[in-house]
Amino acid sequence: MIPSEPIGSIPRSPELLGAMAAFESGEMSSSAFADVQRRAVAETVDSLEAAGSPVVTDGEQAKPSSLTYPIAGLDNLAPDGVVVPYADGHQRQLPWLTSGPLRYKTNAVQYLQAAQRHTKAPVKQAVVAPSTLSLLYPPQAIAGYSREQFLDDLVAEAETEIRGCLDAGAHVVQLDFTEGRLSLKLDPSGGVLRDFVALNNRLLERFTEDERARIGIHTDAGADQDSTHSLDVDYADLLPALFETKVGNYYLQLASEPDPERVLRLIADRLRPGVRVFVGVTDPLDPRVETAEEVGDRVLQAARHLPLDQLGTCDDSGFAPYADDQSTSRSTAFAKIRARIDGTAQAAQQLGAA
């Protein structure tokens, strides 16, 4: 069959959103909040299975965001870091690191194990790429803690996290690399992008080829509050560098592209043996739910360019990478996931791959 996987985040339930606010204001205890998070994970896993998803995730229910979860709660951060501007005018902002050493406060293996308690299905785990967290180091050097020391610590922390997830039985570990396309907007020369890819490969080189077959990288144009940060950046400028990343799986936003045929040709030109490309066939930012037939047509289009044994499908992005994003409902997210799964199966049958 043509494999189909979710990217990661699912919109949080009203109960969970209310509990987050109550916990942050001190009106809810940590144990009560943890109970609500456990219910949210269980409900998310159950809903993914009910939608027919062959691979499930925890829906990132307990993450404050897909970018900052490892460092949330650290006391050596300042709030005024790198700003990520979106097309609709809203912004997100990363913190700065104020002192060393960098140590993750939260390791993604806890999210993986929380999901595994509720299912026997394969569980995928999304983790933030070190390239993202490299943006924490401020332009001015930190006294007694050089940027190179910081990067050494960052890669070591990322390795520990990924290895822990692999050892715990993750179906695949997915590096979230949403800043790849954005970097070309900030630096059209591509220098920042090349630095990002080199840093991610510095991490990936610590794993064997067999281990890297269970590691993937996801890139998109940003997805937050029904807006993007870099959809206007040409994929042709990103893909050559992206495909130098030493992973076995690539998860690429495609459904929202204005010219997916052109992007598929670019992918085919860069595709190397032994890797799989999961193409986005549903757009989480579009409020309309795709039909299975629409999804099937997108899969058939991709199959005209990519070998079936190297093709998979996914959603363009997570549905709520930031916990407070309520632009998409849970019911819409699961309806789109069902359409992706059914449409992929229909296309596989037509292609003789089912």
Side-chain angles (χ1 to χ4, degrees):
M1 295 181 65
I2 298 173
S4 191
E5 296 181 8
I7 290 301
S9 62
I10 299 292
R12 280 62 165 180
S13 67
E15 180 193 23
L16 180 54
L17 290 169
M20 287 167 53
F23 178 67
E24 289 173 3
S25 67
E27 298 172 20
M28 177 178 281
S29 68
S30 58
S31 60
F33 183 43
D35 286 340
V36 176
Q37 289 177 317
R38 280 192 288 270
R39 284 198 298 274
V41 171
E43 290 168 5
T44 299
V45 170
D46 288 348
S47 295
L48 285 169
E49 290 186 327
S53 186
V55 174
V56 302
T57 75
D58 71 331
E60 303 191 354
Q61 299 298 286
K63 284 184 179 179
S65 87
S66 60
L67 278 67
T68 60
Y69 70 87
I71 58 169
L74 290 179
D75 58 8
N76 56 339
L77 300 173
D80 54 343
V82 173
V83 172
V84 181
Y86 285 79
D88 66 353
H90 86 275
Q91 299 178 339
R92 296 288 186 175
Q93 189 167 23
L94 294 172
W96 291 127
L97 192 70
T98 58
S99 63
L102 173 72
R103 295 290 183 266
Y104 283 10
K105 186 176 180 68
T106 301
N107 187 305
V109 71
Q110 75 179 50
Y111 304 127
L112 171 68
Q113 292 171 332
Q116 288 173 325
R117 295 185 189 105
H118 302 288
T119 185
K120 295 187 181 300
V123 180
K124 175 181 183 176
Q125 184 57 54
V127 302
V128 64
S131 53
T132 308
L133 294 184
S134 71
L135 298 172
L136 297 177
Y137 196 87
Q140 67 278 10
I142 297 173
Y145 191 54
S146 70
R147 179 172 177 80
E148 192 54 39
Q149 288 175 301
F150 161 74
L151 293 178
D152 285 344
D153 288 341
L154 173 57
V155 169
E157 292 293 288
E159 179 190 6
T160 298
E161 178 173 61
I162 293 174
R163 201 169 293 284
C165 291
L166 293 176
D167 291 345
H171 167 69
V172 68
V173 177
Q174 171 191 288
L175 294 174
D176 285 331
F177 184 50
T178 188
E179 74 280 7
R181 206 161 170 177
L182 178 63
S183 72
L184 290 165
K185 198 168 190 174
L186 304 175
D187 174 23
S189 75
V192 172
L193 174 61
R194 289 190 292 273
D195 288 345
F196 281 166
V197 172
L199 178 60
N200 291 337
N201 278 338
R202 181 169 159 184
L203 163 67
L204 292 162
E205 286 164 358
R206 298 186 174 203
F207 295 88
T208 67
E209 186 174 349
D210 286 346
E211 289 169 333
R212 289 197 294 268
R214 293 171 56 203
I215 301 174
I217 193 163
H218 167 247
T219 193
D220 61 13
D224 182 42
Q225 299 180 13
D226 285 345
S227 187
T228 62
H229 54 49
S230 53
L231 190 60
D232 54 339
V233 175
D234 194 339
Y235 241 143
D237 297 328
L238 171 67
L239 291 177
L242 180 71
F243 277 107
E244 293 176 7
T245 308
K246 298 177 181 180
V247 292
N249 305 280
Y250 296 86
Y251 301 87
L252 306 181
Q253 160 256 331
L254 187 64
S256 56
E257 281 298 305
D259 189 356
E261 194 81 26
R262 174 176 174 267
V263 177
L264 285 164
R265 290 195 296 269
L266 293 169
I267 294 170
D269 288 344
R270 293 287 174 176
L271 189 64
R272 67 179 188 271
V275 303
R276 189 180 295 275
V277 174
F278 291 77
V279 297
V281 292
T282 56
D283 180 3
L285 302 187
D286 185 348
R288 187 184 65 84
V289 177
E290 296 86 351
T291 66
E293 289 71 25
E294 286 177 284
V295 170
D297 287 344
R298 289 171 178 172
V299 179
L300 295 174
Q301 180 185 42
R304 291 195 291 270
H305 296 271
L306 307 177
L308 284 183
D309 62 353
Q310 292 185 268
L311 175 62
T313 66
C314 61
D315 309 300
D316 267 8
S317 63
F319 288 89
Y322 294 88
D324 62 359
D325 184 358
Q326 302 178 57
S327 58
T328 301
S329 68
R330 282 174 71 85
S331 61
T332 295
F334 288 120
K336 284 176 172 281
I337 289 167
R338 167 64 77 179
R340 167 172 53 78
I341 293 161
D342 291 347
T344 301
Q346 289 179 17
Q349 188 170 26
Q350 292 183 53
L351 292 164

